[in-house]
Amino acid sequence: MGRARLCIKREAWDAIWRHAKSAYPREAVGALVGKDGCVEFAWPLPNVHPRPNVGYRAEPKALLSALKRAEREGLSVLAFYHSHPQGLALPSETDRREAYWDLPYLIVGLQEGKARAWRLPSGEEVVVVVEPE
Ligand SMILES: [Zn+2]
């Protein structure tokens, strides 16, 4: 059995990186939305964590409206992303403990310049496949 994959269109991939860099030194957070199993859009969400340089919490109303918007537009939320401004693209203990969604969590490790996706809390890696437009 092959490992799970997360398909991301190039444009969405670039948008994730732009967001992660512009949010620095804070953590960026957002929803990855698409259809037919491939992410087409990265929708940034406000990070309302009390210490946003070391943690993330998507603003609940913005998250809810993203979920509604996806449904309205015939899209699905396929994954979530957040960044580690000072760290690696590996899930932290907090990331595992607070994982809620049965979806891949893409983590952007700005210091190593890598983004990797994980099932949490299990920690199983999901292979990211970036597709051209
Ligand atoms: Zn994290």
Side-chain angles (χ1 to χ4, degrees), residues 5-126:
R5 287 169 173 259
L6 177 65
C7 164
I8 304 179
K9 300 269 189 191
R10 168 66 58 184
E11 195 174 306
W13 176 256
D14 292 344
I16 294 163
W17 280 95
R18 275 198 305 276
H19 183 202
K21 287 174 184 168
S22 69
Y24 184 92
R26 296 173 174 227
E27 294 197 11
V29 55
L32 297 176
V33 182
K35 59 184 182 211
D36 303 327
C38 196
V39 172
E40 296 179 23
F41 308 105
W43 289 350
L45 296 167
N47 181 1
V48 293
H49 193 280
R51 297 169 66 216
N53 290 15
V54 295
Y56 77 96
R57 184 176 302 151
E59 200 281 312
K61 282 183 189 161
L63 175 57
L64 185 61
S65 71
L67 295 170
K68 286 182 176 170
R69 180 184 165 193
E71 190 177 357
R72 202 167 57 234
E73 297 183 7
L75 303 168
S76 303
V77 176
L78 299 174
F80 289 95
Y81 70 94
H82 73 280
S83 62
H84 287 169
Q86 313 294 346
L88 307 178
L90 302 171
S92 66
E93 278 309 308
T94 307
D95 290 340
R96 288 175 193 263
R97 197 170 54 240
E98 297 185 350
Y100 171 77
W101 299 92
D102 186 23
L103 291 171
Y105 287 79
L106 182 80
I107 300 176
V108 178
L110 278 177
Q111 294 307 313
E112 63 174 341
K114 276 189 195 170
R116 298 166 73 181
W118 309 88
R119 286 276 177 177
L120 300 176
S122 74
E124 181 197 350
E125 185 162 13
V126 176

